[in-house]
Amino acid sequence: MSVPLAAALSVTLSQAASAQSNEGRVLEQVIVTAQKRQENLQEVPLSITALGTAKLEELHVTDFADYSKFLPSLSYTSLGPGFSRVFFRGVSSGDNGNHSGSMPSVGIYLDEQPITTITGALDVHIYDIERVEALAGPQGTLYGASSQAGTIRIITNKPDPSKFAAGYDVEGNVLDGETGYVAEGFANLPLGEKAAIRLVGWGKRDAGYISNVAADRLYPTAEITINNADRAEEDYNDVETYGARAALRVDLNDSWTVTPTLMHQQQESNGAFAFDPSLGDLKVARYRPEHADDRWTQAALTVEGKIANLDVVYAGSYLKRDVDTEQDYSDYSLFYDMAYYYTVYNDDGITIEPTQYIQGKDRYKRQSHELRLSTPSDKRVRFVGGLFYQRQQHLIEQRYKIDNLTPVYEVTDWPDTIWLTEQKRIDRDYAVFGELSYDITDRLTVTGGARWFKAENSLAGFFGYGEGYSSSGTSGEALCSDFAGDPIGDRSGWVPYTAVGTAPCKNLDKSVDEDGVTPKVNLTYKFDDYRMVYVTYSEGFRPGGVNRRGTFPPYDADYLNNYEVGWKTTWMDNRLRFNGALFLLDWDDFQFSFTGENGLTNITNAGGARIKGIETDVEFAATESFLISGGLSVLDAKLRGEFCELLDDDGRPLPLSDCFAPNPHGGPDVLRGASDGTELPVVPDYKANLTGRYRFQMGALDAFAQAAFVYQSESRAALTAFDETILGKNRAYGLADFSVGFGKDSWTAEVFVNNAFDKRADITRFAQCREEMCTKPYIVTNRPRTVGVKFGQKF
């Protein structure tokens, strides 16, 4: 259903096409594969937004941040490129995306293969893409785990043996005096009548817009003042992205086709992507180098064929993602200095600067396999179902370092490392799924489906301090002795390794597993060929897991129950589309992550929430030359019952009346919970967009003018009241984009202005450590005003 915005249907996907597909008075037919078979969007009883090739190009979409603006049911948090967490329909508890945290609640797919990892989905460059489909609401039957609240599918253009095609696009842009560029190209090369290869490549530079300004920092206990003047730099958070995709299609015969695909992308980013409002607009003070190098490769294989009258699809993939990061952690150093009066020394016993920084290595491997069968779609009884398996592995290494640290405080054989995380996380998913549809009459159809799943999660390795820094036994090498059954300080049960890259001991080795069934029931009634309504009950789930702090109990799966009434309608001789849905979601025992002792993320099940909302989208061909499209989401997302992040001896949340923790600043204890009816974080009450595109003749040239506007109301930055007093609210914002251009035959040229009025969007607000001491909120924001020119040609 909801194909919100301009994006949505607007000629949207028509794989058909060309940018000219919106010229006609009649709207283009939109084809989607959301139900794992090709269908007209207007006949699919789901809430779907679909952005096709032409629409993606018209809206200047090159990455997730670009298309997310035009999906009204979607909200997200981000710490920078490749580190975004996506939420649909207000299903958000303020998840911080920790490497050992909850699985995402929204699944993201590249063609048939899932590409979501714990720290965020792959930030796939959007070029030569057939369409982006956004499925709002639980997709637990066909897509399973991590599609609890919705699914995003990025569908690439496939090789075509019937014709040669090629094209390129080049763009130059300016942001606050800094320059960027985009260069893209593709070629579809037939290899005879039954085979073709499609090659795609891209390079992109995003100019920086956050400035690292010179500032002093005093550590009062250490009595040391530091300065970052040598690191001060304007617009220092630039990003460079390079990648390529190759796909081969071979028609083995009239019934069977094999399509292997290989895709690689490398994204290097510098600096921070959040600013400190106390220093001024788009300014921050950081004292250590910060950068990220995100490299990934995905190999995929799709086999499609027929056995008798059954359509058979196998989809398999292997993903390898390596992320290297370095991050300033001086806020946490100041927190320790102020809260615990701690100092650190070098090997000569002299007090040294306590500034911490993090060197991280994340190594992901993921394989997935799905075997699917479906019966002909034109039969009165239709079935789609199959088997699914995936295995994800995440090797986690995080070194919290202080330069010139005495070996007494180091984790054994890890130089300058005061805290180490060296862990392996493995997630496995097994599923059997199916949906059966029956046309009771020519107008009335009932569909029932279910997915049986089994999920396994394990986490093993080391976390904590060296023996010389802490003997509390709750983490680090002190816990190794306890884990081995020896007295603290007794190393007879474990021996430190001597090579960096291996943990000095194991103090965490836990696993959980669970299984269950998620059902779906749908009833659809067609008034005629242009109007229908549907009623759906569906469930989504997200697996539980092991907490990064091994002494904290595991968390359970959470479930989302969806009650939905939707409509798909076309009016005025196919000049007007109006789709929408009303829904109510009950979110039971939702997983909530919060920062606990030593800055470690803890996850617990936090009771329930209820979300009520409406999604609508409209597309109107006002004239043969003027197309208007837009979408709206209205949400009421609140806690159902109270919540406390503090646990009793059995690992369950305390009642709100006892949910208080000491305030390190002194004074009264602080409430670490939220009352019944509290609004869920990151969820705007309203999100809307409107796009108008006018086509006209300029002499012998085909010209256009386009304007797009998106608006989002304010939202909470955090669930608990105390955290929000520190972080504040995510402010409301409105963004406007304009473009004009012209072309003839195979070429087009245009000038555009994105964020024309230079407005700031509060995407994420966060503090670097426990909020009661880290009273400095940072704001991740959108890109400032960008002016660019673009030229493209297709052959």
Side-chain angles (χ1 to χ4, degrees):
M1 165 240 69
S2 223
V3 177
L5 63 110
L9 302 47
S10 242
V11 100
T12 207
L13 2 357
S14 291
Q15 354 189 37
S18 69
Q20 310 240 358
S21 56
N22 278 338
E23 286 186 348
R25 177 181 296 272
V26 176
L27 298 174
E28 289 288 331
Q29 176 177 276
V30 177
I31 301 299
V32 296
T33 53
Q35 296 190 121
K36 308 220 171 184
R37 63 169 88 229
Q38 288 196 350
E39 298 171 287
N40 182 347
L41 176 101
Q42 293 301 102
E43 297 179 355
V44 180
L46 288 176
S47 176
I48 307 171
T49 297
L51 311 180
T53 303
K55 181 57 65 174
L56 293 169
E57 292 177 355
E58 292 170 2
L59 294 173
H60 304 109
V61 170
T62 62
D63 56 24
F64 167 78
D66 290 334
Y67 68 74
S68 66
K69 297 190 301 182
F70 298 100
L71 304 177
S73 294
L74 181 148
S75 55
Y76 72 99
T77 61
S78 177
L79 296 177
F83 298 94
S84 297
R85 300 285 282 187
V86 186
F87 311 101
F88 264 117
R89 288 186 171 177
V91 181
S92 166
S93 62
D95 184 0
N96 65 5
N98 183 270
H99 57 72
S100 297
S102 300
M103 294 289 287
S105 64
V106 173
I108 300 184
Y109 283 68
L110 180 61
D111 291 320
E112 295 278 352
Q113 292 79 23
I115 56 172
T116 311
T117 58
I118 294 299
T119 53
L122 305 183
D123 195 4
V124 178
H125 182 76
I126 303 300
Y127 179 71
D128 194 43
I129 298 298
E130 181 178 325
R131 65 185 179 275
V132 174
E133 295 179 3
L135 287 58
Q139 306 298 322
T141 303
L142 293 181
Y143 294 95
S146 293
S147 286
Q148 178 188 49
T151 301
I152 294 175
R153 306 179 68 232
I154 302 169
I155 311 298
T156 61
N157 284 317
K158 304 301 188 294
D160 182 358
S162 68
K163 61 181 179 180
F164 167 83
Y168 67 90
D169 290 274
V170 291
E171 173 190 316
N173 55 67
V174 179
L175 185 162
D176 193 27
E178 295 290 315
T179 59
Y181 68 84
V182 182
E184 308 159 313
F186 78 93
N188 183 85
L189 308 173
L191 304 175
E193 295 181 356
K194 294 188 176 182
I197 187 170
R198 195 174 189 98
L199 305 174
V200 186
W202 58 90
K204 178 185 177 185
R205 182 185 188 275
D206 294 320
Y209 52 90
I210 302 290
S211 293
N212 192 23
V213 298
D216 293 334
R217 166 156 288 176
L218 169 65
Y219 296 105
T221 302
E223 297 183 341
I224 293 176
T225 298
I226 62 173
N227 182 276
N228 67 337
D230 60 332
R231 303 192 186 280
E233 182 182 351
E234 291 188 359
D235 304 322
Y236 83 134
N237 64 322
D238 57 295
V239 183
E240 293 190 350
T241 306
Y242 304 96
R245 182 175 75 243
L248 172 68
R249 170 176 172 159
V250 179
D251 296 330
L252 301 177
N253 53 39
D254 292 340
S255 299
W256 290 89
T257 298
V258 177
T259 308
T261 304
L262 184 65
M263 185 172 181
H264 175 79
Q265 181 173 288
Q266 180 165 356
Q267 188 172 70
E268 297 183 19
S269 58
N270 296 306
F273 288 81
F275 70 95
D276 178 354
S278 69
L279 296 176
D281 185 37
L282 303 179
K283 295 180 180 179
V284 70
R286 309 298 269 178
Y287 299 85
R288 295 291 311 185
E290 294 193 294
H291 69 268
D293 185 1
D294 185 354
R295 312 170 302 279
W296 56 266
T297 301
Q298 186 190 55
L301 175 66
T302 302
V303 180
E304 303 168 276
K306 295 186 73 70
I307 299 178
N309 67 339
L310 291 177
D311 293 320
V312 181
V313 176
Y314 165 77
S317 69
Y318 176 79
L319 170 67
K320 184 177 184 294
R321 182 186 188 189
D322 296 336
V323 183
D324 294 311
T325 56
E326 186 159 343
Q327 177 185 350
D328 181 291
Y329 207 51
S330 58
D331 283 1
Y332 199 86
S333 306
L334 181 63
F335 158 61
Y336 257 179
D337 185 283
M338 296 173 62
Y340 300 116
Y341 312 106
Y342 99 119
T343 55
V344 291
Y345 308 92
N346 62 17
D347 206 25
D348 296 325
I350 299 173
T351 301
I352 59 173
E353 172 194 335
T355 300
Q356 292 187 36
Y357 59 99
I358 306 171
Q359 290 180 343
K361 294 181 179 180
D362 293 278
R363 300 293 184 260
Y364 303 92
K365 292 181 180 179
R366 179 175 194 155
Q367 60 171 301
S368 65
H369 306 273
E370 181 172 296
L371 179 63
R372 188 169 72 245
L373 304 176
S374 58
T375 61
S377 59
D378 58 351
K379 300 298 182 181
R380 188 172 184 180
V381 178
R382 302 174 297 281
F383 173 79
V384 58
L387 307 173
F388 177 80
Y389 167 75
Q390 73 173 353
R391 182 186 188 274
Q392 302 180 72
Q393 176 180 291
H394 183 189
L395 300 180
I396 308 156
E397 179 181 297
Q398 288 193 327
R399 299 177 64 182
Y400 293 70
K401 300 181 67 176
I402 299 175
D403 288 341
N404 302 313
L405 184 66
T406 174
V408 175
Y409 284 173
E410 293 172 351
V411 177
T412 304
D413 294 323
W414 291 76
D416 292 338
T417 303
I418 193 169
W419 174 285
L420 174 68
T421 299
E422 184 81 6
Q423 297 174 345
K424 177 190 287 189
R425 172 173 177 163
I426 298 177
D427 294 273
R428 294 182 177 89
D429 298 279
Y430 311 81
V432 179
F433 63 91
E435 285 190 1
L436 181 69
S437 298
Y438 173 60
D439 295 334
I440 300 173
T441 70
D442 291 341
R443 299 185 182 276
L444 184 64
T445 300
V446 62
T447 299
R451 187 183 190 97
W452 173 85
F453 70 90
K454 179 179 176 61
E456 300 174 353
N457 171 264
S458 64
L459 187 63
F462 175 87
F463 71 103
Y465 297 107
E467 231 176 357
Y469 188 76
S470 174
S471 59
S472 65
T474 61
S475 68
E477 294 183 338
L479 184 59
C480 289
S481 298
D482 182 64
F483 195 83
D486 299 325
I488 292 177
D490 181 352
R491 291 192 174 188
S492 60
W494 62 276
V495 177
Y497 290 94
T498 58
V500 171
T502 55
C505 65
K506 181 185 288 187
N507 58 22
L508 172 64
D509 190 356
K510 290 189 176 182
S511 63
V512 295
D513 62 81
E514 55 201 330
D515 59 66
V517 175
T518 54
K520 173 183 175 181
V521 179
N522 171 273
L523 193 64
T524 301
Y525 183 76
K526 295 182 178 179
F527 295 97
D528 52 36
D529 291 340
Y530 304 100
R531 287 162 282 271
M532 77 175 204
V533 296
Y534 65 86
V535 180
T536 297
Y537 169 78
S538 58
E539 289 186 11
F541 72 97
R542 181 170 51 165
V546 176
N547 266 292
R548 175 185 177 190
R549 181 191 301 279
T551 54
F552 205 77
Y555 52 96
D556 298 327
D558 55 4
Y559 292 83
L560 188 68
N561 303 304
N562 173 54
Y563 307 87
E564 181 174 335
V565 178
W567 61 92
K568 298 284 185 73
T569 64
T570 304
W571 307 85
M572 300 175 63
D573 296 326
N574 200 27
R575 291 177 53 206
L576 172 67
R577 288 192 185 119
F578 176 55
N579 298 339
L582 293 163
F583 54 86
L584 184 148
L585 303 172
D586 281 332
W587 194 11
D588 298 327
D589 294 325
F590 66 81
Q591 296 166 15
F592 177 74
S593 58
F594 60 94
T595 304
E597 183 183 355
N598 301 128
L600 289 181
T601 296
N602 297 329
I603 302 107
T604 186
N605 293 91
R610 172 162 288 180
I611 304 162
K612 294 176 285 186
I614 181 173
E615 303 160 336
T616 64
D617 68 82
V618 63
E619 185 180 32
F620 178 45
T623 69
E624 291 187 359
S625 302
F626 188 35
L627 180 71
I628 302 171
S629 54
L632 170 69
S633 173
V634 182
L635 293 172
D636 179 22
K638 294 179 179 178
L639 277 183
R640 193 180 62 203
E642 62 185 32
F643 162 70
C644 177
E645 68 181 36
L646 304 179
L647 306 184
D648 60 21
D649 293 338
D650 296 323
R652 302 301 298 177
L654 291 168
L656 197 63
S657 58
D658 298 328
C659 191
F660 291 86
N663 188 337
H665 290 295
D669 292 347
V670 297
L671 178 67
R672 299 298 299 187
S675 59
D676 183 24
T678 298
E679 292 184 351
L680 297 183
V682 194
V683 179
D685 291 339
Y686 306 96
K687 184 179 179 184
N689 62 81
L690 183 66
T691 299
R693 187 175 181 90
Y694 180 68
R695 295 180 179 275
F696 58 95
Q697 290 299 122
M698 190 170 67
L701 300 177
D702 301 318
F704 74 88
Q706 177 177 285
F709 180 75
V710 297
Y711 172 80
Q712 181 169 310
S713 63
E714 74 172 14
S715 62
R716 294 176 66 93
L719 179 63
T720 64
F722 181 77
D723 291 345
E724 192 178 36
T725 63
I726 302 299
L727 299 178
K729 286 185 177 292
N730 295 316
R731 298 163 296 181
Y733 63 87
L735 307 175
D737 301 337
F738 301 101
S739 60
V740 294
F742 53 87
K744 184 65 175 177
D745 299 327
S746 65
W747 63 270
T748 59
E750 64 180 288
V751 178
F752 63 87
V753 183
N754 290 339
N755 191 9
F757 303 110
D758 202 27
K759 299 297 184 180
R760 302 287 174 263
D762 289 0
I763 296 172
T764 308
R765 285 175 173 250
F766 69 93
Q768 195 174 64
C769 62
R770 298 185 65 189
E771 285 84 354
E772 56 263 38
M773 286 300 296
C774 291
T775 57
K776 176 186 293 186
Y778 293 93
I779 301 175
V780 179
T781 190
N782 61 317
R783 295 176 62 79
R785 180 191 298 115
T786 303
V787 180
V789 295
K790 182 176 181 179
F791 180 84
Q793 191 171 13
K794 291 183 171 61
F795 307 96

